[in-house]
Amino acid sequence: MVKLTTANEPDFKTELGKLLKTNRLGKSIHAFDEQDSTQDYANTLPNIESVHGTIVIARKQKRGKGRMGRSWISPEGGLWMSIIFRPEFSVNNIIFTQFMGALAIAEAIVEITDIRCTLKWPNDVLINEKKVCGILVDVSLESKDKVIVMGVGLNVNNEASSVNDNLTDNSIIATSLKKEYGNKIDLVHLTKAIIDRIEYYYYDLLSTGKTLEIIDLWKKNSDIIGKRGIVYDGNEKVVGKVIDIDKDGSLLMKLDDSSMKRVTFYTNTFFR
Ligand code: BTN
């Protein structure tokens, strides 16, 4: 692992530190030129270093991880970041972390670029139906401590690689902000805007149990309701029309035989 500082590039950590005015997130930042995976790094930090609000960020990842065991291609120019939360709220509400993360990122993108994003269940951010960002939430439940690591993979100034998608069963087309915006984006300002929004959603809505508000806002920013989709519930392939997102975050589908099916997405949960 290489700690971040190169001669000709501004030090991302210093620049971000100067801009960030958050109260609780980002008080400790681990920044690297290169890391295997910020998610793995955050997940294996010893307790004493993985305090609530710690941010791990890398210019590029050699072995970036996506959801469902997929790899995540992470060249220089993208935002590859993992945030550690030590929530005081109930385990039942952890599921909403991914919804608030996607919302926060979509809002920060509008703020910086004026580009409107849509959200796809459970936690993708799309622009013009192309995936620009994915979120990976890992949860570790120790005897009494809960640790959430939220990984954000956002194609910013890098070439975007298409990935396989579990809602349509197709290879989803990926895009980058630079491609959609037509210009290079200031990564430090964008990162600051994202962390600001995540702090707002985490403290004002998630920690205070306003999960219905998160789901309502998420639905307002999504266009999957009413669309046909294919989704995997474990190994079971579910085909039908999306009817709604329930208050617990589950996807409600109407199948072709008119029966209803509820698909609940679980975060990667592990015990240690
Ligand atoms: C997805 O499959 O849609 C989620 C992708 C999440 C990628 C991010 S990049 C930062 C963090 N580190 C990783 O190895 N993965 C997450």
Side-chain angles (χ1 to χ4, degrees):
M1 81 188 68
V2 191
K3 274 273 184 189
L4 186 124
T5 39
T6 50
N8 48 3
E9 291 268 6
D11 180 333
F12 192 93
K13 180 175 169 174
T14 310
E15 295 297 302
L16 184 62
K18 272 194 248 163
L19 281 179
L20 261 188
K21 298 281 178 283
T22 42
N23 290 321
R24 285 163 277 198
L25 300 189
K27 295 293 164 205
S28 166
I29 301 176
H30 298 240
F32 301 93
D33 271 344
E34 187 175 274
Q35 189 51 252
D36 281 348
S37 155
T38 58
Q39 198 76 1
D40 283 348
Y41 183 90
N43 274 324
T44 52
L45 266 177
N47 272 352
I48 189 150
E49 286 190 70
S50 60
V51 293
H52 177 79
T54 298
I55 291 178
V56 182
I57 204 158
R59 278 191 207 277
K60 57 182 168 184
Q61 300 183 113
K62 280 189 288 185
R63 274 179 279 276
K65 287 169 40 179
R67 291 197 297 112
M68 305 167 83
R70 292 186 290 241
S71 60
W72 185 261
I73 299 165
S74 326
E76 193 154 347
L79 173 61
W80 322 124
M81 169 171 81
S82 299
I83 307 180
I84 299 173
F85 300 99
R86 290 183 169 271
E88 281 169 10
F89 51 79
S90 146
V91 174
N92 297 337
N93 283 354
I94 288 178
I95 192 86
F96 299 99
T97 311
Q98 59 201 333
F99 295 102
M100 73 90 180
L103 260 174
I105 289 158
E107 284 184 359
I109 290 174
V110 177
E111 180 191 324
I112 301 288
T113 66
D114 236 2
I115 297 175
R116 187 176 174 266
C117 303
T118 53
L119 306 178
K120 187 165 77 56
W121 191 88
N123 50 26
D124 287 345
V125 182
L126 312 185
I127 298 177
N128 296 325
E129 305 202 343
K130 289 168 281 183
K131 177 163 172 168
V132 72
C133 177
I135 295 176
L136 175 67
V137 177
D138 290 319
V139 179
S140 138
L141 304 170
E142 292 181 50
S143 45
K144 64 175 175 42
D145 266 350
K146 306 181 273 287
V147 184
I148 304 175
V149 176
M150 183 170 88
V152 174
L154 174 59
N155 295 316
V156 185
N157 296 315
N158 58 302
E159 287 290 317
S161 311
S162 295
V163 286
N164 213 43
D165 169 53
N166 77 329
L167 194 63
T168 59
D169 214 16
N170 285 320
S171 172
I172 185 168
I173 311 286
T175 192
S176 70
L177 277 181
K178 182 180 166 194
K179 192 164 171 199
E180 301 297 323
Y181 185 61
N183 251 319
K184 203 171 167 205
I185 310 283
D186 183 327
L187 192 54
V188 182
H189 278 89
L190 177 66
T191 307
K192 177 216 181 291
I194 289 174
I195 298 169
D196 277 350
R197 301 278 162 155
I198 291 176
E199 181 165 277
Y200 164 73
Y201 276 110
Y202 184 87
Y203 288 103
D204 286 48
L205 297 191
L206 189 53
S207 292
T208 53
K210 294 187 187 130
T211 58
L212 267 181
E213 260 183 65
I214 295 177
I215 293 295
D216 278 349
L217 283 168
W218 190 95
K219 286 201 298 196
K220 282 198 183 104
N221 285 279
S222 172
D223 62 358
I224 65 162
I225 293 168
K227 281 193 175 160
R228 270 185 77 75
I230 298 171
V231 66
Y232 284 90
D233 186 13
N235 286 330
E236 187 198 344
K237 184 173 178 176
V238 181
V239 185
K241 189 169 148 188
V242 178
I243 300 298
D244 203 0
I245 308 295
D246 205 2
K247 58 181 186 304
D248 68 353
S250 318
L251 183 72
L252 299 178
M253 305 263 287
K254 187 170 186 182
L255 309 188
D256 293 342
D257 65 4
S258 288
S259 63
M260 294 295 290
K261 170 89 183 167
R262 166 187 294 271
V263 184
T264 302
F265 174 74
Y266 295 99
T267 52
N268 287 338
T269 304
F270 54 89
F271 299 84
R272 62 178 184 191

